[in-house]
Amino acid sequence: MSAALNCNICFIGGGNMAQALIGGLISRGLPATRITVSDPVEEVRLLLEEKDVQVTDDNIAAIRDADIVLFAVKPQVLASVLKPLKGLFDGKLVMSIVAGAEIVTIANLLDTDRIVRVMPNTPALVQTGAHGLYANDAVDSKDRELASQVLAATGLTLWVNTEAQIDAVTAVSGSGPAYFFYMMESMIRAGKNLGLDEKVATALTLQTALGAAQMAITSANTPAELRKNVTSPNGTTQAALEVFDRAQISQNIQAALAAAQKRSQELAQELSESSK
């Protein structure tokens, strides 16, 4: 990430996701002195000061010397945060991880088109995130590489071809960790019901989830093929999967993700209207 290491990066908003990215960038070699964070909460600023980054509660001062400005604020305060900064982004790349904030909304508030929209997910907190990115034609290949380098500090980065696909990314990976946590909860509860100690059920469930994910990542086989490989005819796994099939689990998962995508679209529309 040699290009990003030569940039001054400003975060507007210093919450968990910003802190994850900051930690990842520092671990990749970006000097803490090149990072500025603006946040209105004193406790957040004090926490970030421990990482030796520059902190302030003045957004205008924060972005002054920045090459990259990354917005990590709550959607409901987006307009109030961005409007005072309008016209101050000449020569700066804007990145946004604000849920539901479309590029046109940000562009109108800031008067710049050099914007990369990102949908991250919470495993970025442990450097195993999955980030979907989109940018329009105003963002050139060098800017795309910069954005990729910033986000690669905390996980996988994948570009999508249309902004509408960000809603699908939201449904799959943005909300995705909760789906797996839900499955883990259910398996732990089932283990307890079957007579296991809660600690044992929890440890077995979490390690199994980790192992299955690692197998899927490293194997040349697809998840469907891996599933078939561990499903012996008339065996225990088949008995469990038959229950899933009778309950139409696959169809319900697909319906659930479609609902998440639809809600993402609705939130974007609501945010666009409230920001005018």
Side-chain angles (χ1 to χ4, degrees), residues 2 15 45 63 69 73 80 99 130 161 201 234:
S2 56
R45 296 197 301 272
I63 70 172
V69 179
V73 300
S80 62
N161 296 323
N234 298 317

Side-chain angles (χ1 to χ4, degrees), residues 226-240:
L226 291 172
R227 173 183 54 78
K228 292 176 182 176
N229 289 344
V230 296
T231 307
S232 301
N234 298 317
T236 58
T237 307
Q238 181 175 321

Side-chain angles (χ1 to χ4, degrees), residues 180-262:
F180 290 101
F181 297 147
Y182 186 93
M183 181 68 171
M184 291 175 197
E185 285 182 87
S186 299
M187 289 179 64
I188 291 167
R189 191 176 299 116
K192 290 171 60 181
N193 292 340
L194 295 172
L196 293 176
D197 177 87
E198 182 171 0
K199 289 185 178 179
V200 172
T202 299
L204 290 172
T205 296
L206 300 188
Q207 185 64 28
T208 300
L210 174 64
Q214 192 62 32
M215 282 185 67
I217 289 170
T218 59
S219 175
N221 294 325
T222 66
E225 291 168 336
L226 291 172
R227 173 183 54 78
K228 292 176 182 176
N229 289 344
V230 296
T231 307
S232 301
N234 298 317
T236 58
T237 307
Q238 181 175 321
L241 293 176
E242 286 176 352
V243 174
F244 288 165
D245 286 342
R246 286 196 297 271
Q248 296 186 314
I249 297 297
S250 177
Q251 294 92 322
N252 287 328
I253 289 173
Q254 293 173 61
L257 268 66
Q261 180 191 40
K262 180 181 179 182

